[in-house]
Amino acid sequence: AGLSPGQPVTLRAVAADDRGCLFQSCAHYRADSRGELHLGTDASHGGDYTGVEPMGLFWSLAPAGMEKPYQRLLPRSTGAPMKVEVLVHQGHSPPGAMPGPVVAKTEVQRLFTAPGVRRIRLKEGVVRGSLFLPPGDGPFPGVIDMYGDEGGLIEFRSSLLATHGFAALSLPYFDFEDLPRVMKELKLEYFEEAARFLQRHPKVKGPGVGVIGTGKGAELALSMITFLPEVVAAVSISGCSSNTVADLHYGETTLPGLRFDMKKVSVSDSGVFDVFEALDDPTNPANSSSVIPIEKAEGHFLLVVGEDDRMWKSSLYAELAIRRLRQHGKENFELLSYPGAGHRIDPPSTPFCQVALDRVLGVPVLGGGESKAHAHAQEHSWGKIQEFLHLHLG
């Protein structure tokens, strides 16, 4: 408030990650006839996004000009809020240009954990990770949460799930504490032990638990609901319907991992790697032993894909999964397919990152997507994921 009617201003958001890397975004607005600006109803006319986007300054945060490109702004610690400074500058200044004088500024804090949510570090048999419990006596629906081939422990989705009433176990499966450093081969028994731990926890509502995974974690979620009776609901975000990269063992059963053929990777003039065509073809009969036999699952599937995923062909893989279920007379699935969304569909307002540095390869890899469509997919899918888990876990 307090601007002159019709005054042009640039709004900027500035945040730093835990390593001190600066991220920023900007958008052009005009004050209304009262000299006020409401992000919920007023449209941006330029900058990093256009249109009425109340959270646009958050999801368009990107590394500042002097920082290394292709970095993600992700909370490493869920205990501390993300601090975002929001500034109002006179006039319209394009992204990357020196903005006009500051008219007003404030600090916004983004919380990832509601008051009363408890975080318990886990060393239970071979299982590692963090269990997030909502406030209150429970019991709560239990969910295992996994990410992809970046490895390590990623907690922010689990802490947000706990904030929304789920007992959420953030489950790493390599490159964390005494787990294997690299993902060479995986034993489903590790994930079985995690599911049994969660199922038996006094704060967890039974009889079954859910699992949510992104990328490699999505594919593991499909394997868990297929082979483990404890798992009754699986959310697969940008997953493959076959096992990939690392062989998966369970008792006497082995699902070989489809491989990436580096000869099929293309590199742009700016040095960005496009791996879209590189994964072995899951429809090739020679690769049939890698297909996850999801028709054996008794539970329910939610498949979430971005139609512009350039990491791999997740839309096709979701089609293959649905075709396989239908061939066996099953309709125990829902599909959320988002035009213009890329690979990593995270909780709402997570900054969009079309190209990200791959932790394993150490090079920038194209994830695909367009910022506004991807942001809308994140917002819509987050509500649908919670509905799905509540429906099937009680």
Side-chain angles (χ1 to χ4, degrees), residues 145-150 157 173 212-219 221 235-239 312 343-346:
D145 176 25
M146 299 177 296
Y147 271 93
D149 59 8
E150 63 268 57
R157 185 164 61 194
Y173 47 96
I212 177 172
T214 297
K216 177 68 187 175
E219 178 194 306
V235 180
S236 161
I237 301 172
S238 309
W312 58 14
H343 179 67
R344 192 159 151 162
I345 299 172
D346 273 324

Side-chain angles (χ1 to χ4, degrees), residues 72-133:
R72 281 189 192 283
L73 179 57
L74 290 176
R76 302 275 174 237
S77 153
T78 55
M82 182 188 287
K83 293 177 178 172
V84 182
E85 190 172 38
V86 181
L87 304 103
V88 183
H89 297 269
Q90 284 180 25
H92 287 164
S93 45
M98 195 61 143
V102 174
V103 189
K105 63 179 180 176
T106 188
E107 186 182 83
V108 181
Q109 294 194 340
R110 179 163 195 198
L111 303 171
F112 291 89
T113 311
V117 168
R118 285 198 299 144
R119 172 181 179 264
I120 301 156
R121 282 302 295 277
L122 213 60
K123 273 197 167 180
E124 191 71 29
V126 295
V127 178
R128 301 291 173 263
S130 296
L131 177 64
F132 290 85
L133 294 174

Side-chain angles (χ1 to χ4, degrees), residues 193-215:
E193 197 169 319
R196 286 178 177 169
F197 162 79
L198 191 62
Q199 185 190 35
R200 293 188 194 123
H201 195 283
K203 291 265 189 185
V204 172
K205 190 189 283 189
V209 297
V211 59
I212 177 172
T214 297

Side-chain angles (χ1 to χ4, degrees), residues 8 27 55 60 64 68 74 101 113 152 174 190 205 209 229 236 249 276 280 321 327-328 357:
M55 296 300 287
S60 63
K68 282 188 190 148
L74 290 176
T113 311
F174 75 103
Y190 172 79
K205 190 189 283 189
V209 297
S236 161
H249 306 283
F276 187 65
D280 290 346
Q327 279 168 352
H328 289 84
L357 275 177

Side-chain angles (χ1 to χ4, degrees), residues 206-282:
V209 297
V211 59
I212 177 172
T214 297
K216 177 68 187 175
E219 178 194 306
L220 286 164
L222 297 182
S223 294
M224 287 171 74
I225 194 172
T226 296
F227 293 106
L228 309 180
E230 296 84 359
V231 178
V232 298
V235 180
S236 161
I237 301 172
S238 309
C240 184
S241 49
S242 293
N243 184 54
T244 67
V245 183
D247 294 355
L248 181 67
H249 306 283
Y250 184 52
E252 299 296 305
T253 304
T254 295
L255 297 183
L258 297 180
R259 301 295 189 232
F260 279 94
D261 180 355
M262 295 312 280
K263 292 196 287 293
K264 292 183 180 168
V265 175
S266 62
V267 185
S268 74
D269 293 342
S270 57
V272 173
F273 283 58
D274 185 341
V275 299
F276 187 65
E277 296 290 346
L279 187 68
D280 290 346
D281 180 4

Side-chain angles (χ1 to χ4, degrees), residues 330-341:
K330 297 210 158 186
E331 291 288 333
N332 55 341
F333 63 86
E334 290 174 60
L335 172 67
L336 297 175
S337 185
Y338 295 101

